[in-house]
Amino acid sequence: MKQNNNITKAHAAILTANVIFGLGVPLTKYLLTSWVTPMTYMAFRCIGAALIFWCIASFLPREHVEKRDLLVIMAGGLLGFVISQTLTAWALEFTTPVYFSLIATLTPIATMLMAALFLGERITSLKTLGVVLAFAGAALMVFVGWQSGTGRNDLLGILLALLSVLTWVVYLLITRKVSERYSAVTQMKWIFLVSSIAVVPFAIGDIQSTPLITQAALTSDWLRGALGMLFIVVFATVLGYFMIPFAMQYLRATTVSIYTNLQPVVASLVAIAIGQDLFTWDKPVAALLVLLGAYFVTARQTR
């Protein structure tokens, strides 16, 4: 009974995390457009999350981490946060939140292919159909984005988004077993410490000139930017990344990746509502193909 309760909590946690991530996509686009550069954005997230998680850890019993596991946690943090989220920020510099979030729905397919390649999991005919449909959806987005996209360079943005998805999948796979042995707070405090060490040297120049810091007048626009950055740090970073290792203690990496499909629904609705993107014919068609592909890839495991 207790195990079933934990599994329910894990599903609720990963669902909440992906709703938050979906809200974070158009908000990140807004911040990058007006207030921060990609490296400044990453530095704020790393430093803010590291401070919060180390403060929380100071009130909890100390948890010993084996050196080998610590290396896995840190490597996972560099892949799943620093590299993946930096690619996300760069992608949103060039393409729209809708295109980016639709690419994010390829996560279950990428997880399946990586698991087959490195873990030897079998690929069935149904999964193959799912991969073909998802690839067709992604190809449609690339083609239409190249022809008449609304971003600065949709093709480049989509390619960066694909790389972001791949690094995120590797993070899910390599940290799966470690997530079962240590608390989420222990994992996150080390992930964001090493992330801060990796990011800050590259962001110092941008931090000194970023409008969010240099603007002296506390205008309503500045307040919106500051609150937006605070949401990204507290909710889309600390809370979201806390929920992922918790969920992975009780769920398979493929199951966790299924919930990524919530992100385009949330991100697209918000982005179109606030005028960051336009509703065009290719978006619902591509979404249908990618979501159907994700369903065929993961339906058997979900049951």
Side-chain angles (χ1 to χ4, degrees), residues 100 103 106 138 142 157-167:
F100 173 83
I103 286 294
L106 293 172
V142 171
I158 288 169
L159 292 176
L160 290 170
L162 283 169
L163 290 174
S164 174
V165 166
L166 289 175
T167 53

Side-chain angles (χ1 to χ4, degrees), residues 99-157:
Y99 279 134
F100 173 83
S101 58
L102 287 175
I103 286 294
T105 61
L106 293 172
T107 302
I109 288 88
T111 304
M112 180 206 72
L113 293 174
M114 288 285 192
L117 183 62
F118 296 108
L119 303 180
E121 290 190 7
R122 190 167 63 94
I123 299 179
T124 64
S125 57
L126 188 63
K127 290 180 178 180
T128 302
L129 174 61
V131 171
V132 171
L133 288 173
F135 179 79
L140 176 64
M141 285 184 283
V142 171
F143 177 76
V144 175
W146 174 56
Q147 295 291 329
S148 58
T150 55
R152 285 171 51 195
N153 188 333
D154 285 292
L155 181 58
L156 177 59

